[in-house]
Amino acid sequence: MIIDGVEMRGIALDDAAALAEGFARNRAYMAPCEPVRPEAYYTERGQRARIGGLLAERDGGRLVPYVFAETATGAIIGAINLGSIERGPLCSGGVGYWVDQAWHGKGLATAAVEEVCRVARDELGLHRVEAGTLLDNAASQRVLTKAGFEPFGVAPRYLHVNGAWRDHRLFQRLLHDSPPPA
């Protein structure tokens, strides 16, 4: 559990229906910050295929995917991924997350980002974690700042979001200064 009433756990194929419901429920709310998605994305079948890809990335050591589930209902109310994991001299990963509109402002994203950073440092031995937000996404920037991230630049036309290439503010959190694992 990361906050009262919510469990953060590894994603599973059995989450497909609940995840599709969560994305459908938040579709309009998340549209300004999301890529344009095909209709299949909002279906159980589409999420089952997507989760299969996430699990393959996990098994290859490139991704650690989690969901947030209400402990009382089992409803999926968000997710967080530690992805783009690179070993060697970079020893880094990137974090991305979403939280159900009804759960915004309750500390869920901050707690999850802090937990992912703990996993990155203590279990994976990563040196840093990075994240990017749309320039006007003040809520996500507050989450990252509360979780110990610092801004380090702006990437012009970084991601294709909501139908256009959008600039992003980049953040990072340095986790330790030990040399990379041999």
Side-chain angles (χ1 to χ4, degrees), residues 100-162:
D100 190 290
Q101 183 177 7
W103 281 84
H104 272 229
K106 298 181 180 182
L108 177 57
T110 302
V113 170
E114 289 172 344
E115 175 60 13
V116 163
C117 286
R118 186 202 63 75
V119 168
R121 181 190 63 232
D122 297 346
E123 297 178 23
L124 301 176
L126 298 182
H127 165 67
R128 67 186 282 280
V129 175
E130 68 177 51
T133 71
L134 290 168
L135 296 182
D136 62 351
N137 189 342
S140 208
Q141 292 170 16
R142 274 191 307 276
V143 164
L144 293 169
T145 301
K146 286 180 186 177
F149 283 69
E150 298 178 78
F152 72 94
V154 173
R157 296 177 303 283
Y158 185 65
L159 288 175
H160 200 263
V161 173
N162 197 23

Side-chain angles (χ1 to χ4, degrees), residues 10 13 21 31 33 58 64 69 72 81 86 102 118 136 145 153 163 171 176:
L13 281 173
E21 288 174 22
C33 297
R58 179 203 64 198
V64 184
N81 294 321
E86 293 288 335
R118 186 202 63 75
D136 62 351
T145 301
F171 291 80
H176 66 78

Side-chain angles (χ1 to χ4, degrees), residues 42-58:
Y42 301 96
T43 67
E44 180 178 353
R45 183 176 180 183
Q47 284 304 308
R48 186 170 293 281
R50 181 177 160 273
I51 293 168
L54 294 174
L55 295 175
E57 287 287 302
R58 179 203 64 198

